[in-house]
């Protein structure tokens, strides 16, 4: 799929950030995963087009330190929970009041943070993330610390090697990426229990590194769990992910 035109907006700290749009209709804000971009997660494999063809205005930011957004090396621009702040800023600047919200992997964690902090989308999608990935953020971040610490030395074919290779394919800069990773904030089981937004939790059936999607759905009162084919890297490339999202969001 071809890329889409880039639109610009400002983070609450003045950072220069970008987003893409496709379609008309009900807005849905989709947040991509770590090392990725809006294009790679949502456009390349047709998920955005599927939603746009189903009547949605699909709004897809590049996270801070990713894609076309600000990649400053200044640690002052990476406070805790800044990715949720950036997404709130985009929603405010676009004047969205009736919208849906979703994300994959780090984008899913950001979506949960927004729900905990009071975001009120009509529906939410938490993809590629299970309960442990939300409640035990530091444990998952240890993996990426190993990726950064061993850049250029990982055994070919290892999970760390594959992650580093993916970072390079998207043009990632390890300095701001490490800084933005350290801004991650999770949620407690009690906070999850307080989320009353109807939510789809969707994960690959071979995605083993982020906890249980079924347990995450069970922790939220109005959540349902759906499995799609693939592991953490491949599930996002499968049309089944977009279909599951569409089937949940269309109403």
């Amino acid at each position: 799929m071809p890329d889409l035109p880039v639109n610009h907006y400002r983070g609450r700290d003045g950072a220069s950030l970008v987003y893409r749009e496709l379609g008309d209709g009900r807005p849905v804000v989709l947040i991509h995963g770590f090392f990725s971009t809006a294009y790679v997660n949502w456009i390349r494999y047709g998920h955005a087009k599927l939603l746009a063809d189903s009547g949605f205005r699909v709004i897809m930011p590049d996270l801070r330190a990713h894609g076309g957004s600000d990649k400053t090396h200044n640690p002052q621009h990476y406070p805790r929970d800044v990715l949720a702040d950036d997404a709130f800023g985009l929603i405010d600047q676009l004047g969205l009041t009736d919208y849906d919200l979703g994300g994959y992997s780090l984008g899913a964690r950001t979506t949960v943070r927004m729900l905990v902090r009071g975001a009120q989308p009509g529906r939410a999608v938490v993809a590629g993330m299970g309960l442990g990935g939300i409640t035990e953020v530091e444990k998952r971040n240890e993996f990426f610390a190993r990726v950064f610490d061993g850049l250029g030395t990982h055994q070919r074919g290892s999970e760390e090697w594959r992650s580093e290779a993916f970072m390079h394919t998207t043009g990632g800069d390890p300095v701001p990426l490490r800084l933005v990773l350290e801004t991650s904030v999770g949620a407690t089981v009690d906070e999850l229990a307080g989320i009353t937004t109807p939510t789809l939790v969707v994960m690959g059936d071979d995605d083993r590194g982020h906890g249980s999607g079924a347990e995450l759905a069970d922790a939220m009162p109005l959540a349902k769990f759906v499995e799609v084919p693939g592991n953490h890297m491949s599930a996002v490339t499968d049309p089944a992910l977009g279909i599951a999202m569409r089937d949940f969001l269309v109403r």
Side-chain angles (χ1 to χ4, degrees), residues 109 129-138 140 185-187 209-212:
R109 186 183 291 160
M129 190 62 68
L131 183 64
I134 298 296
T135 61
E136 300 175 343
V137 171
E138 291 77 12
R140 180 57 187 170
V185 181
H210 299 80
S212 167

Side-chain angles (χ1 to χ4, degrees), residues 13 26 52 92 113 119 145 153 229:
D13 63 348
R26 180 176 178 80
D92 290 345
R113 284 299 307 160
T153 67

Side-chain angles (χ1 to χ4, degrees), residues 28-143:
V28 55
V29 178
L30 297 181
I31 306 171
H32 66 77
F34 195 46
F35 288 172
S36 194
T37 65
Y39 172 75
V40 171
N41 263 184
W42 307 121
I43 301 168
R44 174 180 285 173
Y45 302 105
H47 307 314
K49 184 177 187 302
L50 179 67
L51 290 172
D53 289 346
S54 301
F56 288 91
R57 174 191 175 192
V58 189
I59 301 164
M60 301 160 282
D62 277 350
L63 292 172
R64 182 179 299 238
H66 295 75
S69 287
D70 197 316
K71 298 184 181 70
T72 178
H73 289 200
N74 184 345
Q76 293 184 350
H77 288 271
Y78 299 93
R80 297 278 281 174
D81 228 8
V82 71
L83 298 183
D85 289 339
D86 288 343
F88 276 123
L90 176 60
I91 289 167
D92 290 345
Q93 289 176 54
L94 293 178
L96 304 182
T97 56
D98 188 14
Y99 64 95
D100 296 321
L101 175 66
Y104 192 87
S105 192
L106 179 58
R109 186 183 291 160
T110 304
T111 296
V112 170
R113 284 299 307 160
M114 296 174 70
L115 295 172
V116 167
R117 289 177 53 184
Q120 296 183 330
R123 294 193 179 192
V125 175
V126 175
M129 190 62 68
L131 183 64
I134 298 296
T135 61
E136 300 175 343
V137 171
E138 291 77 12
K139 182 178 293 186
R140 180 57 187 170
N141 285 359
E142 288 174 0
F143 165 79

Side-chain angles (χ1 to χ4, degrees), residues 154-176:
H154 297 301
Q155 182 177 355
R156 188 175 184 85
S158 67
E159 187 176 358
E160 290 84 356
W161 180 85
R162 289 194 296 270
S163 292
E164 180 182 352
F166 180 54
M167 179 185 72
H168 291 314
T169 65
T170 59
D173 180 339
V175 174

Side-chain angles (χ1 to χ4, degrees), residues 158-223:
S158 67
E159 187 176 358
E160 290 84 356
W161 180 85
R162 289 194 296 270
S163 292
E164 180 182 352
F166 180 54
M167 179 185 72
H168 291 314
T169 65
T170 59
D173 180 339
V175 174
L177 285 169
R178 187 162 198 165
L179 288 169
V180 83
L181 181 70
E182 293 169 358
T183 73
S184 292
V185 181
T188 66
V189 172
D190 286 344
E191 287 173 328
L192 293 171
I195 295 174
T196 56
T197 301
T199 301
L200 172 68
V201 178
V202 54
M203 288 185 75
D205 58 9
D206 196 33
D207 190 342
R208 308 298 183 196
H210 299 80
S212 167
E215 290 179 1
L216 177 57
D218 287 344
M220 293 185 282
L222 298 179

